[in-house]
Amino acid sequence: MDVDRLRQDAAALLADGRARMVIGFRDRAGDRVPAFITDAEQAGELVYDEACRQNLAAYLKKAELARFRPVAIVARPAVMRSLVLLAAEAQVADADVLVLGVSDDDEYHGILDLAATAALLNEKYAEMPHDPDLVKRIEEISAMTPEERSTFWTEQFARCTRCYACRAACPMCYCTQCIVEKNVPQWISTAAAGHGNYAWNIIRAFHLAGRCTECGACEAACPQGIPLMLLNVVLARDVEEEFGIKVGYDAEAEPVIGSWSPDDGEDFIR
Amino acid sequence: MKLIDADKLTDLAAALARAGYRVVAPIDDSGVVRLKEWAEGAAIRTDAVPVNSAKDFLFPPSEIIGRWDLDGDDFTPRDVQPDAPKTVLLAVRPCDAAALTLLDTVFNWDYKDEFYNARRQAATVVPMVCTAADEQCFCTSVGGAPDATAGADAMLRPADGGTTLILEPLTDKGNVLLDAAGPALAEGDAVADPPVEIPRRFDVEAVTEWLSRNFESDLWPAISLACLGCGACAYACPTCHCFDIQDEATRRESVRLKNWDSCGFGLFTLHAGGHNPRPDQAARWRNRVMHKFSYIPERFKLLGCTGCGRCARVCGAGMSMSEVCRLIADETKKAPTHES
Amino acid sequence: MSPDPDQAQAVQQPGGNLYTPITMTIADSRDETYDVRTLRLEFPGEAERAAFFEKYRVGMFGLYGVPGAGESAFCIASPPTQDQYIECTFRKAGRVTAALRDREVGQTITFRGPYGNFFPIEEWKGKNIVFIAGGIALPPIRAVIWNILDRRDEFGDVTIVYGARTVADLVYKHELQQWQKRDDVKLILTVDPGGETDDWKGEIGFVPAVLEKAAPSAENAVAVVCGPPVMIKFTLPPLKQLSFPDADAYTTLENRMKCGVGKCGRCNVGSLYVCKDGPVFTIEQLKNLPQGDL
């Protein structure tokens, strides 16, 4: 990837004021960590490669960063979808976001506004095939009996310590008071144990149904290595099959779960 | 001296398990090194710092501290005892053992927490000297060392080029453990390998001194931008001990739980009246750093960090306590400006 | 003003642990305002009562709870001189306070305490005392007021400046009347402008302004202030103007608390734990705390 072009574009955006901040990645002793650049001179520290797994769109929910608008975000296709979806959910104004488009196959797409981002997604990234290993695991688990599945997930969730790194990493988890933080009533047990862990992980997956852009940041952030993408991808696929919609491609689209049409499949509400 | 082949650590684990210890060791868990209860067949790995710390077994993520039977509006208290099986923390890191000094202090500094104490007393701590380290390790910057014995009942020392382990008892509990290990250990001589050299990453005294003068500083918003306010670092940290007390109930029974909590969460200090003294991540990061490098040293004459580096390894957003301390130490090296 | 290290174990059940509460019975319940209630609580037995009052000094707090809902920390709103019961006054603000409000006279709640430090009233003997309180912050001050009034001869003049947003928000209304009637107490009540009723006879104005107007003498006096952070902030200038030294002015802080015993790491303001080094602080100590952590 032509990282130099990325750096030049970032510098240009800051120099001429098209962006007040560029959020990208920098190197720290081999790790890829976020960079928050407000000065064109700092653009040289930007890097990008496939080790950059964080979804930087998550930073749009940080109140401390709200004054740095317009903001330019280094985004691969799944992250571009997050940005388009955040605009569709009215969390960010179209004019406040610019994209420095990157891809996992080393292509640099330059500076894009939100409309151009959506256009690019529809043109080049309408199909984003999943990791074959992930697909295989989904098939294996789908073939399990309910008891086997229960054993599998109980084992996975037993490791959850309720650190909420998954929630923090996700740009779509922007509720100022998460359901797990409500205690009147206490919808979900806060103890890092059995039923509460199940409830937390499954409810989060459900709250993301029709909203997850399958960026994988949650699974990458989980300190316990819980395979969260298994849940999220299955639900995303279900939404696609049931509603014929893939999210994050249209900044004007109504939320899938938050809208109703007479043609919807279920007939208990007519 | 008592020896065991370095690749026979599972034999030692097995012997200790037969002697009635719950053996906790760094286990290979689908490729990840995790401190877990060892069971026959599990591979012990000492080639990486485990993702979790020994604190999990003395101060678990959730435990019951109160129990009541409920009958309509009436309640009857029931007895609650700490769950404290005889345990060996085998081949943990010296930085984890060093952290116990702080946990011992906090949980006992005038009120005594019997839940922690029961587990602590039932635990025999056997760190293994580190002959390797990674970029995130910084024990030597916070008064520790890869062969430090603080908090240890016995030490495992790699020897003879890593082929052998010396098991050296340090306390009565250590001696009891060696006896329990029985024939798993051989008698012999070996030369301990030198511990890994970890360069000092920052001057911690300079950090503490800077903190005493810089509660207000532009550094706090600057260094906390990447933080998204989860609890991963606090939970992985061997010295972090903040907890929440929470009740849960069915119609017939209620329990009062002590659950891990983190000062990084937004709601940690939210008052019932709506005021939050730490309303943004900058204030919460300031508290985190101050607690470890200023308040704990002031109150207990100990550092609140043992340099294990887990926080940086687990952080999904690129925060690192070591990097923050380096940035602070760099501030102190700049030419003095007018005091704020 | 640190707690006595011999007070290491608060009242506990036999065989209980640090977090084990005792079971208190609600002897009386009184609504102070539409959302503020006072409960009078009696001990389960003489042993528990005696053990509590051996440790309790005015200013200390406790954790009051309902199994299933949780615990909440408030001050102990009655003085050690009233040693057959304790009282607490709280506003319904969330899950635990709602559960406490649902309890009726004759029913039970859990209690842990007394925790924290206390007002050094023994050092105030012979001095004049000026109490300044706002709204729902009167309860901790009320405990001190009664402690002083129950030992009236030992102290000098007693002046109370108390205000709330509206007349309806004043708590302990019947006690305010009692204090008004006493000739050994000077009580100045105020409500915020717009908070008065047609028959209101007290002052109208914010507490700091009313304090300035009342201008109690700082000579041989201590001040005891409690209120929401903003009220305290605006009370400090008039106190200073009246020459009350910061070391002779006291306040009590409330932070979000869970364990109450210095372990859960939640209530610290800078390096001081409100549950251990407080909740009572001098204004001098308060000013030395990092204001950005308050």
Side-chain angles (χ1 to χ4, degrees):
Chain A
M1 160 144 357
D2 193 346
V3 177
D4 278 330
R5 271 188 61 207
L6 170 67
R7 292 173 181 150
Q8 282 158 23
D9 282 347
L13 286 172
L14 291 167
D16 62 28
R18 274 177 290 162
R20 309 261 306 271
M21 176 182 273
V22 170
I23 305 180
F25 292 92
R26 62 179 168 97
D27 172 78
R28 186 187 64 207
D31 291 334
R32 300 286 176 262
V33 297
F36 300 87
I37 291 177
T38 49
D39 207 301
E41 285 166 15
Q42 300 165 308
E45 63 183 48
L46 289 172
V47 299
Y48 192 80
D49 59 28
E50 73 273 6
C52 298
R53 286 298 87 193
Q54 247 186 285
N55 186 329
L56 297 176
Y59 289 103
L60 289 176
K61 60 181 157 167
K62 264 193 98 160
E64 295 102 295
L65 294 173
R67 64 193 178 93
F68 296 100
R69 300 278 196 270
V71 61
I73 298 187
V74 173
R76 55 186 159 95
V79 178
M80 292 180 198
R81 286 173 67 190
S82 301
L83 292 167
V84 171
L85 188 55
L86 283 171
E89 290 190 1
Q91 294 304 303
V92 68
D94 287 27
D96 276 347
V97 177
L98 287 169
V99 166
L100 287 160
V102 294
S103 81
D104 285 335
D105 45 30
D106 258 14
E107 204 177 329
Y108 176 59
H109 293 295
I111 299 170
L112 306 160
D113 64 16
L114 218 59
T117 303
L120 177 73
L121 284 168
N122 284 290
E123 184 195 311
K124 289 202 85 163
Y125 298 106
E127 295 302 320
M128 291 209 288
H130 291 120
D131 171 12
D133 283 335
L134 182 68
V135 172
K136 188 154 157 273
R137 286 193 76 195
I138 289 176
E139 279 164 17
E140 282 166 10
I141 294 168
S142 303
M144 288 181 183
T145 65
E147 288 77 22
E148 286 168 337
R149 241 181 274 171
S150 173
T151 304
F152 173 77
W153 285 112
T154 301
E155 222 175 86
Q156 301 305 316
F157 295 144
R159 293 203 299 277
C160 179
T161 56
R162 311 297 286 281
C163 71
Y164 305 117
C166 48
R167 176 183 77 185
C170 178
M172 308 316 294
C173 276
Y174 52 74
C175 288
T176 47
Q177 195 180 15
C178 175
I179 189 169
V180 78
E181 289 165 341
K182 294 190 199 268
N183 69 351
V184 186
Q186 187 79 47
W187 296 111
I188 304 176
S189 162
T190 56
H195 63 286
N197 285 359
Y198 251 101
W200 163 247
N201 284 288
I202 290 176
I203 288 175
R204 195 182 91 86
F206 269 94
H207 282 190
L208 285 167
R211 306 173 64 234
C212 171
T213 62
E214 303 168 63
C215 72
C218 53
E219 188 172 296
C222 176
Q224 303 300 331
I226 297 170
L228 299 168
M229 290 313 289
L230 290 174
L231 290 171
N232 296 328
V233 167
V234 163
L235 281 169
R237 228 172 39 171
D238 282 354
V239 166
E240 216 179 304
E241 279 165 22
E242 299 292 334
F243 298 98
I245 292 173
K246 286 202 327 190
V247 294
Y249 288 87
D250 178 0
E252 306 300 313
E254 283 195 359
V256 174
I257 305 296
S259 58
W260 176 81
S261 131
D263 302 327
D264 280 348
E266 295 298 336
D267 62 5
F268 58 86
I269 295 177
R270 278 275 176 231
Chain B
M1 41 180 75
K2 292 291 188 190
L3 308 173
I4 185 165
D5 287 347
D7 57 4
K8 294 280 194 296
L9 209 42
T10 46
D11 287 355
L12 176 59
L16 294 172
R18 281 192 299 273
Y21 286 90
R22 174 178 67 146
V23 179
V24 169
I27 307 289
D28 182 288
D29 187 6
S30 308
V32 165
V33 179
R34 189 185 310 280
L35 276 178
K36 269 177 85 159
E37 197 170 323
W38 177 85
E40 197 73 52
I44 297 181
R45 279 179 58 186
T46 56
D47 57 299
V49 176
V51 295
N52 59 333
S53 79
K55 121 182 144 185
D56 293 19
F57 303 93
L58 300 176
F59 167 49
S62 177
E63 66 180 327
I64 294 175
I65 56 172
R67 227 188 242 287
W68 290 264
D69 286 333
L70 303 179
D71 180 9
D73 285 324
D74 295 327
F75 56 84
T76 315
R78 302 243 323 269
D79 191 38
V80 174
Q81 293 300 330
D83 173 26
K86 184 169 87 165
T87 299
V88 55
L89 300 173
L90 184 65
V92 294
R93 295 283 162 161
C95 43
D96 281 11
L100 299 183
T101 310
L102 174 64
L103 294 181
D104 290 348
T105 305
V106 166
F107 284 116
N108 283 286
W109 65 296
D110 54 352
Y111 295 95
K112 299 182 188 331
D113 185 322
E114 293 105 21
F115 293 92
Y116 174 83
N117 287 342
R119 293 174 201 275
R120 183 73 175 92
Q121 276 149 29
T124 303
V125 184
V126 186
M128 188 155 105
V129 169
C130 302
T131 49
D134 69 14
E135 277 298 316
Q136 307 301 348
C137 292
F138 61 99
C139 60
T140 52
S141 308
V142 287
D147 60 346
T149 56
D153 293 301
M155 288 299 278
L156 280 165
R157 297 183 187 281
D160 291 349
T163 56
T164 304
L165 295 168
I166 302 168
L167 183 52
E168 180 193 338
L170 297 172
T171 67
D172 291 340
K173 271 193 205 165
N175 284 314
V176 168
L177 183 113
L178 257 77
D179 287 340
L185 299 171
E187 185 65 49
D189 278 306
V191 177
D193 297 329
V196 61
E197 281 207 23
I198 302 173
R200 206 179 68 158
R201 314 232 191 254
F202 55 85
D203 177 354
V204 72
E205 281 178 17
V207 170
T208 298
E209 197 281 324
W210 185 92
L211 290 172
S212 68
R213 296 181 284 110
N214 283 282
F215 191 84
E216 302 297 336
S217 165
D218 289 338
L219 199 75
W220 300 119
I223 57 98
S224 62
L225 285 178
C227 178
L228 288 160
C230 75
C233 58
Y235 290 4
C237 173
T239 60
C240 277
H241 51 269
C242 287
F243 59 87
D244 186 20
I245 297 182
Q246 180 90 353
D247 277 25
E248 291 185 6
T250 62
R251 287 175 64 202
R252 274 188 263 289
E253 190 191 39
S254 79
V255 291
R256 189 155 288 165
L257 301 164
K258 194 207 259 181
N259 294 333
W260 282 359
D261 207 341
S262 164
C263 64
F265 289 133
L267 301 192
F268 189 66
T269 50
L270 180 68
H271 292 187
H275 171 62
N276 190 344
R278 299 188 198 129
D280 58 23
Q281 215 61 48
R284 296 191 278 270
W285 252 90
R286 172 175 58 196
N287 176 69
R288 182 168 173 71
V289 180
M290 289 279 185
H291 232 124
K292 289 179 175 298
F293 293 93
S294 182
Y295 306 155
I296 287 175
E298 186 185 315
R299 188 175 280 272
F300 301 123
K301 313 288 179 278
L302 293 170
L303 281 171
C305 171
T306 58
C308 75
R310 283 186 181 86
C311 53
R313 287 188 209 98
V314 299
C315 180
M319 293 295 296
S320 156
M321 186 58 80
S322 171
E323 185 180 41
V324 169
C325 287
R326 276 200 308 276
L327 288 168
I328 292 174
D330 284 348
E331 285 289 301
T332 65
K333 291 191 206 131
K334 288 181 186 160
T337 56
H338 59 274
E339 294 270 285
S340 54
Chain C
M1 261 197 295
S2 296
D4 180 351
D6 290 328
Q7 293 193 313
Q9 298 296 339
V11 185
Q12 290 177 2
Q13 300 257 31
N17 63 66
L18 168 63
Y19 305 103
T20 303
I22 57 175
T23 303
M24 305 284 274
T25 304
I26 300 173
D28 196 14
S29 163
R30 183 179 64 236
D31 280 329
E32 305 290 347
T33 73
Y34 75 97
D35 64 352
V36 176
R37 173 169 293 179
T38 296
L39 295 178
R40 176 172 292 192
L41 305 166
E42 283 173 354
F43 288 82
E46 174 54 24
E48 289 87 349
R49 190 206 64 79
F52 175 87
F53 280 101
E54 205 175 299
K55 298 180 200 319
Y56 174 44
R57 304 281 181 279
V58 77
M60 297 173 93
F61 72 96
L63 283 123
Y64 306 79
V66 176
E71 293 179 313
S72 202
F74 339 111
C75 69
I76 298 164
S78 55
T81 43
Q82 292 163 26
D83 64 359
Q84 297 305 306
Y85 53 79
I86 59 172
E87 290 186 329
C88 66
T89 301
F90 57 91
R91 167 158 43 213
K92 177 177 157 176
R95 180 166 129 125
V96 178
T97 46
L100 286 168
R101 252 187 98 85
D102 277 346
R103 308 301 274 175
E104 293 170 358
V105 173
Q107 292 182 337
T108 49
I109 67 167
T110 65
F111 175 78
R112 283 197 288 131
Y115 294 135
N117 69 352
F118 44 85
F119 290 98
I121 65 170
E122 305 307 325
E123 292 168 19
W124 301 349
K125 287 191 203 178
K127 295 194 181 201
N128 303 324
I129 310 184
V130 180
F131 295 100
I132 306 146
I136 184 64
L138 182 57
I141 302 297
R142 176 247 199 186
V144 191
I145 292 173
W146 275 119
N147 205 160
I148 303 300
L149 295 182
D150 285 344
R151 294 166 51 182
R152 190 67 189 85
D153 297 338
E154 298 177 50
F155 303 94
D157 296 340
V158 171
T159 309
I160 306 169
V161 177
Y162 172 51
R165 274 189 317 117
T166 69
V167 177
D169 289 312
L170 294 165
V171 299
Y172 304 124
K173 292 183 182 63
H174 68 288
E175 287 178 5
L176 296 177
Q177 285 178 358
Q178 287 176 38
W179 298 339
Q180 195 85 11
K181 290 197 180 100
R182 290 175 71 132
D183 55 14
D184 57 357
V185 173
K186 181 174 172 192
L187 173 66
I188 303 159
L189 292 177
T190 184
V191 292
D192 290 357
E196 70 273 18
T197 51
D198 288 335
D199 55 356
W200 178 245
K201 295 195 175 49
E203 297 286 329
I204 298 172
F206 297 113
V207 165
V210 170
L211 170 68
E212 211 176 314
K213 178 175 159 198
S217 166
E219 182 78 35
N220 190 37
V222 299
V224 184
V225 190
C226 192
V230 65
M231 190 208 99
I232 298 201
K233 181 173 157 184
F234 285 104
T235 303
L236 298 187
L239 274 181
K240 190 173 160 114
Q241 225 191 16
L242 293 166
S243 305
F244 277 90
D246 288 344
D248 289 331
Y250 296 82
T251 187
T252 169
L253 290 185
E254 281 189 356
N255 257 19
R256 184 177 174 127
M257 298 208 227
K258 284 283 179 169
C259 73
V261 292
K263 296 189 187 331
C264 76
R266 184 183 307 266
C267 71
N268 67 297
V269 180
S271 63
L272 299 188
Y273 282 88
V274 175
C275 69
K276 299 290 301 163
D277 307 296
V280 177
F281 293 97
T282 62
I283 296 297
E284 182 178 36
Q285 285 176 306
L286 187 70
K287 284 184 176 167
N288 284 328
L289 289 174
Q291 303 302 301
D293 227 18
L294 273 172

